[in-house]
Amino acid sequence: MARPANLKLKDLVTKGYLPPELIPPFNTFSLGQNLDSLKNLRGLHLNTNPKKISKLVTHSIPKISLQRRTLGVPNPYNQIQLMECIVNNWKDIRNLTAKSKYSLTKPLVKKDLHRAINRKHDFADIFSKIPIISTGYRYGLKTDISRFFSTIYTHSIPWAIHGKAFSKKNQKVTDGFGNLLDTRVRDTQDKQTLGLPIGPDTSYIISEILGSAIDCEIYSELNANGIRYTDDFYFFFNSLSEAEEALTKIQKILKHFELEINPEKTEIYSVPEPLESNWVSELRTHHIYNENPYKQKTLLISFFSKAFNYSKQYPNNSVLKYALARIKEEEIHKENWNLCQAFILNSMISETNVLSEATDIFMIYKKREYKLDKQAIKKTLDNLICFHSKLNHGYELSWALWIAKNLDIKISNTAANELSKVEDSIVALTALDLREAGLISKLKTDEWEKLLTEENLYEEHWLFAYEAVKKGWLKPDSDYLKSDGFFSILNKNDVQFYDNTLLSEAPLPKRNEKSVISNAFISY
């Protein structure tokens, strides 16, 4: 058996820092390259070297239907300390998570993968595991933890690592690495004890520490067959009464960690149960490519008719995102591209979490030298910007701007005016980049310029306060990047969090070598 790979700080900083949902120019590559320059500034011993705390940059992304999720980008001053704590205790963390008999999401370190930490199994593996482990049982119980990441009590981290009784008696930072981990997490979020930022790999690792501790208690109480994927649980029993009793015990165990089940996603059902919705099967098997352009046109109309219909029937599933993932792997004839593009643009308005998929498709067909209808795309982007600016929806705005930059489309003055009112560091930096590129003419920056202070380097707009000044996109009243001990070193070493030289690249899919479209696109 291969020896488990060690987790390296550079990899965690470079590949596990930012949420994957951000547009591509946001990265921490140069931060990872300059870790040696920051060693003397990390407060590794809080008792003798107390340091600052900071706040998260927040970024709103669509979830399902009208629901949204808030991503968090921690300040590097405290996040690097948290990451170092995890790396220094990685062997113990790996041993803790290995104890789970249910987890499909044990952390995996492997070279040449996109993220620093990866789940051992893909989401789609649930559907192949359930038929096997449910064999011989009559009833299934499925449930998940209500608002898992946002309700994690940071003091429960040492409980999961050392036990609740021990942790309550030994609360000093030096009493086991669980207390230090708890402290480091709270330092990244203004000492708040409730919740973990969604996006960084550190949060995934900590959630898996808690999940594994919960698994061990459930196994001790139930000795049941089952699986867990992050916070989704599936268990199997011989009688209805056993399943009902198990649910009561699971609720009690979660309460022990200050967590609760999600009643809307809790169900006891008869085995077997359908593993995927009809819409998934239909969209997966629907033929799109045909050598005859006219026949392909008919297939496209049929495919998107089904997709649009199913998106209304299943508003809590990412139907259109799945549909565009399929389109991305197909070859559309030039004669049908204008129609396909219209379907894509309509999808962008209807289900905004398709924007990253739409970007890839546009770049693929730009590379194929198809004629993109930039007027239609511009109309759609302006619509998205004007609508979502009023709601401060960061994901939609940043991706709309990113598409505009990649396709060299100028944003209207009306849309630029609405953008100027948005309070989102990711959006503001992207908008300034487009202004620099000549794609936004009239961008009002008065409100954003108020954020350019030394104090804001550790507040919720730290990313903007650093990057907008470093890039020279806005001029502060004082040269505060030179006066702050930590950020002055970042600036001196040319650390950047936004690479304005990047453009999206989407590799051309090859006929007969199509990627498998994963069920991970689906939100259940």
Side-chain angles (χ1 to χ4, degrees), residues 267 333 370 449 515:
E267 179 187 359
H333 290 296
Y370 278 38
E449 287 171 7
S515 301

Side-chain angles (χ1 to χ4, degrees), residues 89-100 106 157 160-162 177 208-209 212-213 216:
N89 295 281
W90 181 244
K91 183 178 179 180
D92 289 332
I93 291 172
R94 191 174 57 207
N95 290 339
L96 285 167
T97 57
K99 292 179 181 179
S100 170
K106 293 176 182 179
I157 298 170
I161 295 172
H162 309 296
F177 78 91
E208 193 60 24
I209 291 172
S212 298
C216 290

Side-chain angles (χ1 to χ4, degrees), residues 357-395:
E357 298 298 319
T359 304
D360 287 345
I361 296 172
F362 288 143
M363 297 310 294
I364 287 171
Y365 285 90
K366 179 183 178 182
K367 191 172 184 179
R368 285 177 170 160
E369 298 183 348
Y370 278 38
K371 184 179 180 181
L372 276 61
D373 186 348
K374 290 191 177 182
Q375 282 302 113
I377 298 173
K378 173 182 169 60
K379 183 179 179 181
T380 302
L381 297 180
D382 282 341
N383 182 309
L384 285 168
I385 291 170
C386 290
F387 181 84
H388 291 282
S389 290
K390 293 179 174 62
L391 303 171
N392 211 50
H393 287 171
Y395 178 91

Side-chain angles (χ1 to χ4, degrees), residues 11 14-16 107-120 122 201:
D11 290 339
T14 303
K15 300 194 294 182
L108 176 67
V109 177
K110 195 173 181 181
K111 292 181 179 180
D112 303 323
L113 293 180
H114 182 64
R115 300 293 293 188
I117 301 291
N118 296 269
R119 292 165 173 80
K120 190 172 183 180
D122 292 331
D201 283 1

Side-chain angles (χ1 to χ4, degrees), residues 71-87:
L71 303 181
V73 181
N75 192 293
Y77 185 88
N78 298 110
Q79 182 67 358
I80 290 173
Q81 296 180 57
L82 170 59
M83 288 178 162
E84 190 152 37
C85 179
I86 287 174
V87 169

Side-chain angles (χ1 to χ4, degrees), residues 181-195:
L181 199 53
D182 173 18
T183 301
R184 295 301 195 216
V185 170
R186 287 185 287 114
D187 286 348
T188 68
Q189 49 194 35
D190 199 30
K191 285 296 181 185
Q192 294 296 314
T193 59
L194 189 63

Side-chain angles (χ1 to χ4, degrees), residues 182-348:
D182 173 18
T183 301
R184 295 301 195 216
V185 170
R186 287 185 287 114
D187 286 348
T188 68
Q189 49 194 35
D190 199 30
K191 285 296 181 185
Q192 294 296 314
T193 59
L194 189 63
L196 295 177
I198 298 173
D201 283 1
T202 49
S203 296
Y204 156 54
I205 294 167
I206 293 168
S207 74
E208 193 60 24
I209 291 172
L210 286 164
S212 298
I214 291 167
D215 290 346
C216 290
E217 293 205 16
I218 291 176
Y219 185 79
S220 177
E221 284 286 325
L222 304 181
N223 193 25
N225 260 13
I227 57 173
R228 173 179 60 80
Y229 193 93
T230 306
D231 65 328
D232 294 325
F233 295 88
Y234 302 81
F235 296 104
F236 299 94
F237 306 93
N238 287 316
S239 69
L240 181 61
S241 61
E242 284 182 356
E244 290 172 337
E245 183 181 359
L247 178 58
T248 300
K249 290 181 177 180
I250 291 170
Q251 287 176 305
K252 184 178 179 180
I253 290 168
L254 292 178
K255 189 69 176 176
H256 177 80
F257 290 95
E258 304 289 339
L259 297 167
E260 295 181 353
I261 67 162
N262 183 347
E264 294 181 2
K265 292 187 176 182
T266 299
E267 179 187 359
I268 296 174
Y269 59 92
S270 297
V271 175
E273 186 185 50
L275 297 174
E276 65 180 20
S277 299
N278 289 337
W279 72 263
V280 180
S281 300
E282 285 206 38
L283 294 185
R284 179 189 290 121
T285 57
H286 192 291
H287 290 291
I288 296 172
Y289 182 78
N290 191 290
E291 291 183 1
N292 184 317
Y294 180 79
K295 290 182 179 180
Q296 186 188 60
K297 180 180 179 180
T298 303
L299 291 170
L300 271 174
I301 293 172
S302 175
F303 177 77
F304 274 103
S305 293
K306 288 181 179 180
F308 292 150
N309 183 42
Y310 283 132
S311 72
K312 290 180 171 57
Q313 289 183 44
Y314 300 92
N316 291 334
N317 293 177
S318 298
V319 176
L320 297 184
K321 185 176 177 68
Y322 186 91
L324 291 201
R326 275 231 46 207
I327 291 295
K328 187 168 71 174
E329 300 300 326
E330 297 291 340
E331 183 179 338
I332 307 301
H333 290 296
K334 283 188 176 181
E335 295 91 330
N336 296 325
W337 169 246
N338 197 47
L339 175 63
C340 185
Q341 179 184 257
F343 286 140
I344 294 167
L345 295 176
N346 284 325
S347 299
M348 289 164 58

